[in-house]
Amino acid sequence: MGQSVNYSELFSQLIAKDDKINTSMLTFLYYMFPRDLFIRALSLLESNDMMIYILDNENSPDTAAKRTETLADESISKSETNEIDTKVHAETINTQTNNELKYMNDTLRSIYKDDDFKLLYRLIVKSNDTTPIYVYLKNWTCSCNEYCELFHDSISSNRTESIQNKLITEIDDIDEFKDDHFAQLDIHSFSRQYYFQFDKVMCPHLLAYSILLRSSLTVLEHFVIRKSNVLLIRINNIDEWLKLHINIVV
């Protein structure tokens, strides 16, 4: 597997125009990864075990939407009052729904753009063990046993060679820059591109989140909004956010 293939582009074609899985692309991607990695990653995406925790104590919508219109101060019959109450309730629900959808869309765009200045987020997978699995796409690391074993084997093969030379590909010629963001490190660098050699070290968790966040906004919205397979969990309290370094917030 080489970086000459644009994996981000391939991942973006996984969801067809009818918002269903593109079976042709699914089959194609299956044969591109060893150890049934792609099927395991896709199973994770559909498992409801993948979560995106976001720290957002400023932009979250109000829990109770406010009615802006002022009712006329006049005598109203009981039936008219009930009718107005129903309209107010319907408008409130509609406002809440619209606010939540706008917030969700804006949040997903920030996550997809990987903009730390706008939004902090953590990628966590529920595990059968007591400890959750933490995934870091930005530096291509995962806390699962499979990743740790593969990483250990890769760096132990030749101890005289640096880890960077073993596992990272650097591109310093702008003319050779790629559009592919899969396994890319320091994604916002303008002078160089760095890619982790994922054919040496990769687990289904990294692949699943790469499909989700290194493909297209359409794929992200499919699994988070329309299918609700991946949970987006908002945290408004910094103390609860810090607990993510120890365990999952309940």
Side-chain angles (χ1 to χ4, degrees), residues 43-229:
S43 296
L44 270 174
L45 283 167
E46 297 176 341
S47 68
N48 294 103
D49 288 337
M50 292 175 60
M51 295 169 286
I52 302 176
Y53 281 87
I54 59 173
L55 175 63
D56 189 11
N57 52 8
E58 294 181 357
N59 300 317
S60 57
D62 294 337
T63 54
K66 296 180 180 179
R67 176 172 165 80
T68 57
E69 296 84 4
T70 302
L71 298 177
D73 185 13
E74 59 185 36
S75 177
I76 304 175
S77 67
K78 185 175 182 180
S79 60
E80 290 174 327
T81 302
N82 290 338
E83 182 180 352
I84 291 177
D85 287 343
T86 302
K87 288 182 179 179
V88 171
H89 180 64
E91 288 176 10
T92 300
I93 293 176
N94 186 59
T95 304
Q96 288 177 318
T97 302
N98 289 338
N99 285 346
E100 287 291 342
L101 285 175
K102 183 180 184 303
Y103 171 80
M104 178 76 79
N105 289 329
D106 291 344
T107 299
L108 291 184
R109 286 190 181 91
S110 295
I111 293 173
Y112 177 68
K113 291 179 180 178
D114 211 7
D115 191 346
D116 283 342
F117 294 102
K118 287 188 176 181
L119 193 69
L120 291 176
Y121 65 89
R122 293 290 301 274
L123 309 177
I124 297 177
V125 181
K126 285 195 297 185
S127 172
N128 293 329
D129 300 328
T130 56
T131 305
I133 295 172
Y134 295 89
V135 182
Y136 303 88
L137 278 185
K138 296 178 183 180
N139 54 12
W140 199 255
T141 57
C142 181
S143 65
C144 73
N145 291 332
E146 183 174 351
Y147 177 92
C148 294
E149 291 173 1
L150 290 171
F151 188 87
H152 177 269
D153 292 343
S154 295
I155 64 175
S156 300
S157 58
N158 183 359
R159 296 185 181 276
T160 60
E161 187 179 9
S162 69
I163 295 177
Q164 181 170 345
N165 289 337
K166 287 181 180 180
L167 298 177
I168 297 176
T169 299
E170 179 181 346
I171 304 174
D172 56 9
D173 186 347
I174 296 179
D175 293 332
E176 296 182 4
F177 275 16
K178 304 176 185 298
D179 294 327
D180 192 12
H181 294 311
F182 179 54
Q184 185 178 4
L185 311 175
D186 193 11
I187 200 169
H188 296 297
S189 174
F190 294 106
S191 59
R192 284 179 171 80
Q193 282 190 332
Y194 301 93
Y195 288 94
F196 198 98
Q197 297 178 22
F198 60 88
D199 54 323
K200 296 180 179 178
V201 183
M202 181 166 55
C203 64
H205 311 101
L206 280 167
L207 181 54
Y209 276 113
S210 293
I211 295 171
L212 192 69
L213 300 174
R214 297 293 185 262
S215 55
S216 70
L217 191 58
T218 299
V219 174
L220 180 58
E221 290 174 344
H222 172 84
F223 287 106
V224 175
I225 296 180
R226 291 186 285 277
K227 299 293 289 185
S228 298
N229 291 133

Side-chain angles (χ1 to χ4, degrees), residues 53-57 233-237 240-241 244 249:
Y53 281 87
I54 59 173
L55 175 63
D56 189 11
N57 52 8
I233 302 174
R234 183 170 63 232
I235 297 178
N236 299 323
N237 185 294
E240 294 299 318
W241 175 257
L244 285 179
V249 175

